[in-house]
Amino acid sequence: MAKDTAPRWDRRMQQRLARGEAAALGELYDRFAALVHSQAHRMLDDEDAADLVTREVFAQVWENPEAYDPKQGSMRSWVARLTHRQSVQRLRRAAASSYAAEHGEGATPDPEELERRVRSATAAARADYIVSSMPAPLRQALELAYIHRRDYRQTADDLGVTEDEARRRLRLGLQLLSTANARPLEGASPPGYGRAR
């Protein structure tokens, strides 16, 4: 997964896209397609829907490169916000369509249940994004502890660090992950997606 890019690269990319350089779109796609697809797939739990969201996001970037404002954060964060927005719209449409099919045309799902599903999918996607974006030492410690079921002593041995350092890495990793469930203020980006637009 690509790290956040330098602001100069972001501005140049926006300029190239605004000039209609197809090669710029290809470069942007190569850099961020995995991020977009994995985030959409995590939210929608549907490979075909994730493919569609990926196409929609890059089409939106291609058609509206001026919508990106480098002062508001990195291009990576902007693309992640676009993906989140498209995924939420698709999730809501799918839920409404499914509910209408089950309960008759014109029937609408319970708004509270729909928002709960959107919040749950959003938190899961943010957690994936946070884990993929966190520094490798923190990610490695979390993987050892939670995927491989190692305690902090075993994690320290596996990483070749002190037990205190292993505990510090686990604590910091968990603190970062805890922001995945935070509800953003109105108009703000969800944690892990950069600043609001």
Side-chain angles (χ1 to χ4, degrees):
M1 185 95 23
K3 297 285 184 209
D4 278 330
T5 54
R8 187 171 23 166
W9 183 90
D10 293 352
R11 286 191 299 274
R12 273 199 224 131
M13 177 57 67
Q14 180 186 30
Q15 292 165 353
R16 290 174 62 202
L17 289 167
R19 286 192 303 260
E21 288 184 32
L25 182 63
E27 185 179 329
L28 190 77
Y29 184 87
D30 289 345
R31 188 172 286 223
F32 297 130
L35 165 72
V36 172
H37 190 273
S38 66
Q39 182 181 343
H41 190 273
R42 183 66 170 117
M43 287 189 71
L44 302 170
D45 195 28
D46 180 332
E47 187 72 28
D48 293 334
D51 289 343
L52 286 172
V53 166
T54 301
R55 286 195 297 273
E56 291 167 354
V57 166
F58 285 100
Q60 188 173 356
V61 168
W62 178 248
E63 293 167 4
N64 302 297
E66 70 283 348
Y68 169 64
D69 182 359
K71 295 176 195 157
Q72 297 296 318
S74 70
M75 187 161 283
R76 176 186 174 92
S77 295
W78 180 59
V79 169
R81 285 191 303 273
L82 292 175
T83 304
H84 178 260
R85 195 172 304 130
Q86 288 295 114
S87 298
V88 167
Q89 289 173 359
R90 187 163 291 281
L91 187 64
R92 287 184 173 139
R93 282 193 308 264
S97 176
S98 173
Y99 191 86
E102 289 178 22
H103 297 91
E105 198 62 36
T108 58
D110 175 26
E112 289 180 16
E113 173 60 20
L114 181 57
E115 286 308 307
R116 186 197 63 71
R117 288 177 60 190
V118 167
R119 281 192 308 271
S120 176
T122 298
R126 275 197 313 259
D128 284 352
Y129 182 85
I130 290 166
V131 168
S132 69
S133 299
M134 73 175 46
L138 302 183
R139 186 174 50 250
Q140 291 166 343
L142 287 175
E143 287 173 356
L144 286 169
Y146 293 97
I147 295 174
H148 300 290
R149 313 300 266 168
R150 312 284 281 164
D151 66 25
Y152 75 93
R153 287 184 182 101
Q154 294 166 323
T155 298
D157 285 342
D158 290 349
L159 294 175
V161 298
T162 65
E163 291 178 7
D164 286 341
E165 177 62 13
R167 281 194 295 263
R168 185 188 73 76
R169 290 179 186 184
L170 289 168
R171 183 176 59 252
L172 288 173
L174 290 173
Q175 286 172 343
L176 284 172
L177 272 176
S178 72
T179 65
N181 286 319
R183 292 194 63 191
L185 298 172
E186 191 63 34
S189 292
Y193 291 138
R195 291 183 289 176
R197 289 221 8 98

